[in-house]
Amino acid sequence: MPGLVDSHVHASQFPNNGLHLGTPLLEWLEKYTFPTERSFADVKVAEKVYPRVVDRMLRNGTTTASYFATAHLPATKVLAATTAAKGQRALVGKVNMLMNCPENYREESVEESLRETEEFISYTESLKSPLVQPIVTPRFAITCPEDHMRALGALASKHKCRVQSHLCESEPEKELVKKIFPDFPSYTYLYHAMGLLTDKTIMAHCVWLDDEEVRLLAEKRAGVSHCPNSNLNLLSGHCNVKKLLQHGVKVGLGTDCSAGYSSSVLDAMRRALHVSCSVGMEHSKHDVLTLPEAFHLATLGGAQVVSMDDCIGNFVVGKEFDAILVDDTMEDKIQRFLYNGDDRNMVEVYVAGRRVVAR
């Protein structure tokens, strides 16, 4: 079957995986996540952690991943080089943040942030890997002042880069954005005004969008990475994926490790089904996701979100061969695999026709 696409994952948070869950988002970031990411100031940490992360992702059938690294340039270079060496298709982003984050874990200035981000873009291009591309990564509006976001939007446009960030993950986050940026009608419109909302944009979560924000995402052809595992663990809420799809918004799945404790897109698919059932029970007229629809989110839907559906996501002739060989064959067993399977069932994994995992 087609390789799985993880459209939102924090490679630097794997050491924190499965810890401190059940904590609200902003508290979880401050107390646990920022300190974990700060350790990547030591490039040796990156050299130890990132190869294990990529191996684990590939073993779970994730042939394409959109990674957040950290604000550290040397460590982020390690992640890009690692994905290239191991043959995973990846978007890799150096995190940008200047405010509302620890003093010992933030960039020095807008100018330094832009310089390092552009250097990372050049470095990734120098790898000459057809599989690995840079992605401009403002962490979220709370950590980026207005001039910073505008400059990052211009940088993404200059280099024709994709953009990834977080949007409307929790109600307190959305209220804080409104407080910091009172002159903008919505969180989504703020990104649009900064030049960060394009058809190459991946916005993670999108739990608390209003109707106008849904319309704007659809109009701009921006993608949404649905991360049900983390949305449940951090008490963020239930994303109404069916509504997004009905309004023409591109939707894929994200594991969002470490707020999501599983690195498997299959887990994200199953939890997307559960969340959709919960939304359906809350709104009696709501259609719930079907298993084929959830599988679409894990494959071609994810490819659309990361703007790669022209070359991956299914087995249309002419696309690249990103695939997993599963040890189930009959249709009923395929359903059983989608619900119960894991890395132990994945016999082989291919990216661009190259076998990167073999049992």
Side-chain angles (χ1 to χ4, degrees):
M1 60 177 58
L4 304 175
V5 179
D6 190 339
S7 55
H8 181 69
V9 58
H10 292 264
S12 55
Q13 292 178 17
F14 272 62
N16 201 36
N17 214 11
L19 301 175
H20 314 298
L21 301 178
T23 307
L25 170 65
L26 299 180
E27 179 184 350
W28 177 80
L29 285 170
E30 180 181 354
K31 287 186 176 180
Y32 309 114
T33 305
F34 287 149
T36 298
E37 292 188 17
R38 191 171 63 237
S39 68
F40 285 76
D42 182 353
V43 74
K44 292 181 180 178
V45 173
E47 291 169 346
K48 176 182 178 181
V49 171
Y50 285 152
R52 295 165 65 184
V53 169
V54 177
D55 283 343
R56 185 172 176 183
M57 297 284 282
L58 285 170
R59 194 67 192 84
N60 276 291
T62 300
T63 52
T64 299
S66 187
Y67 287 116
F68 277 59
T70 64
H72 310 105
L73 177 60
T76 307
K77 288 180 177 180
V78 170
L79 178 57
T82 300
T83 56
K86 291 183 175 292
Q88 185 180 43
R89 195 181 303 276
L91 300 173
V92 179
K94 177 197 167 300
V95 173
N96 303 111
M97 56 185 193
L98 280 169
M99 64 181 190
N100 296 312
C101 50
E103 288 289 342
N104 59 359
Y105 182 39
R106 67 177 58 181
E107 297 172 295
E108 293 182 10
S109 64
V110 171
E111 293 73 23
E112 183 68 3
S113 174
L114 295 175
R115 186 196 67 76
E116 289 198 342
T117 300
E118 196 154 29
E119 181 179 335
F120 177 69
I121 292 170
S122 297
Y123 172 78
T124 307
E125 292 172 348
S126 75
L127 294 174
K128 299 188 183 305
S129 168
L131 301 177
V132 182
Q133 301 176 53
I135 183 167
V136 173
T137 307
R139 187 177 204 111
F140 57 169
I142 291 172
T143 59
C144 297
E146 187 174 331
D147 58 341
H148 193 196
M149 286 191 284
R150 286 190 187 277
L152 289 170
L155 190 64
S157 177
K158 173 184 174 182
H159 291 279
K160 297 180 173 57
C161 280
R162 293 167 177 80
V163 173
Q164 63 180 352
S165 194
H166 299 82
L167 173 62
C168 293
E169 182 173 357
S170 71
E171 287 185 295
E173 169 210 3
K174 187 169 183 176
E175 288 303 311
L176 184 53
V177 170
K178 186 184 299 183
K179 182 178 179 180
I180 297 172
F181 303 97
D183 297 332
F184 296 88
S186 72
Y187 196 167
T188 304
Y189 189 87
L190 170 64
Y191 283 131
H192 166 58
M194 301 298 108
L196 291 166
L197 200 67
T198 75
D199 60 354
K200 291 184 176 181
T201 295
I202 305 166
M203 285 296 172
H205 306 295
C206 297
V207 176
W208 297 100
L209 300 171
D210 60 36
D211 290 344
E212 179 58 27
E213 289 179 293
V214 173
R215 185 201 64 77
L216 185 57
L217 284 173
E219 176 188 319
K220 296 300 174 183
R221 297 294 297 150
V224 170
S225 179
H226 176 41
C227 306
N229 192 313
S230 66
N231 291 341
L232 294 170
N233 293 331
L234 299 186
L235 314 175
S236 297
H238 292 156
C239 179
N240 192 336
V241 170
K242 196 76 172 186
K243 176 181 177 180
L244 296 177
L245 293 172
Q246 289 168 346
H247 284 78
V249 178
K250 299 183 295 186
V251 183
L253 296 175
T255 58
D256 196 22
C257 287
S258 65
Y261 54 76
S262 173
S263 57
S264 170
V265 176
L266 291 176
D267 172 85
M269 184 194 69
R270 294 162 191 158
R271 294 186 185 279
L273 289 165
H274 291 158
V275 167
S276 184
C277 287
S278 296
V279 174
M281 287 186 284
E282 295 167 2
H283 307 281
S284 59
K285 293 184 180 180
H286 172 72
D287 293 328
V288 300
L289 288 172
T290 64
L291 180 61
E293 286 174 326
F295 181 63
H296 173 87
L297 299 183
T299 52
L300 185 58
Q304 292 167 346
V305 168
V306 299
S307 301
M308 296 184 190
D309 53 304
D310 60 331
C311 63
I312 62 168
N314 57 19
F315 293 143
V316 170
V317 174
K319 291 193 177 185
E320 298 198 32
F321 187 66
D322 287 16
I324 53 179
L325 175 61
V326 182
D327 62 359
D328 285 331
T329 55
M330 296 171 61
E331 184 177 351
D332 59 339
K333 289 187 176 182
I334 293 296
Q335 295 180 26
R336 186 177 296 122
F337 166 71
L338 292 179
Y339 277 114
N340 298 311
D342 57 30
D343 60 296
R344 292 168 294 183
N345 302 103
M346 298 185 192
V347 179
E348 296 175 352
V349 178
Y350 293 82
V351 179
R354 174 192 171 198
R355 188 170 65 182
V356 293
V357 171
R359 189 169 69 189

